[in-house]
Amino acid sequence: MNLLTIVDVKDRDSPHLYVKCTLFLETHAGGRLPLLVDRGWATNQSWEDVRLEEIVDEAPVVVGPDAGGSGDEEALASGHWEFLTARARAEGVNVSANEMRTLPHHVELTEQLKSRLAKA
């Protein structure tokens, strides 16, 4: 199993970086189970100034555990992995939170995003 974040353009017309991220669990059988569908980020950085590597590096952070300024980071991380594990188990995938947090995490950019970056 692997974690996979797919990054896509959120707003084609925005002059600034604006992307959405979907986190999937790739199963042993080859299926993709969506775990998080409501993540992404925007900046005031123009598309022309964005490097592909920046997006690839930032995506796992955006779909990862939230960093809390006032909370216990480990408690936030545990809650995140427990939530993802519950989503997977609800779909019949038997995985533990400890296993989930150690899975390889890959990032894939959509053709639309690659095209948008190439036009910049």
Side-chain angles (χ1 to χ4, degrees):
M1 286 190 290
N2 296 299
L3 294 174
L4 171 68
T5 297
I6 296 180
V7 186
D8 197 4
V9 175
K10 176 81 172 178
D11 182 356
R12 289 182 71 100
D13 298 325
S14 174
H16 302 107
L17 175 71
Y18 191 17
V19 295
K20 59 184 174 182
C21 299
T22 304
L23 176 64
F24 293 90
L25 176 63
E26 292 186 307
T27 66
H28 292 299
R32 288 184 175 174
L33 172 65
L35 298 175
L36 293 173
V37 297
D38 60 350
R39 300 288 176 106
W41 76 96
T43 70
N44 61 2
Q45 188 176 14
S46 70
W47 286 103
E48 292 81 17
D49 296 332
V50 176
R51 291 186 2 227
L52 183 133
E53 295 82 15
E54 292 175 81
I55 294 174
V56 171
D57 290 345
E58 186 66 17
V61 175
V62 170
V63 299
D66 292 329
S70 62
D72 176 4
E73 298 264 339
E74 184 52 38
L76 288 170
S78 291
H80 173 78
W81 297 113
E82 289 295 335
F83 173 78
L84 296 181
T85 298
R87 298 276 316 242
R89 287 182 177 161
E91 296 297 323
V93 178
N94 188 18
V95 62
S96 71
N98 285 336
E99 182 183 6
M100 182 82 74
R101 75 179 352 166
T102 62
L103 289 174
H105 191 158
H106 305 284
V107 175
E108 182 179 300
L109 307 181
T110 65
E111 290 303 317
Q112 182 179 355
L113 178 55
K114 290 178 191 175
S115 174
R116 183 65 180 95
L117 289 169
K119 290 179 186 175

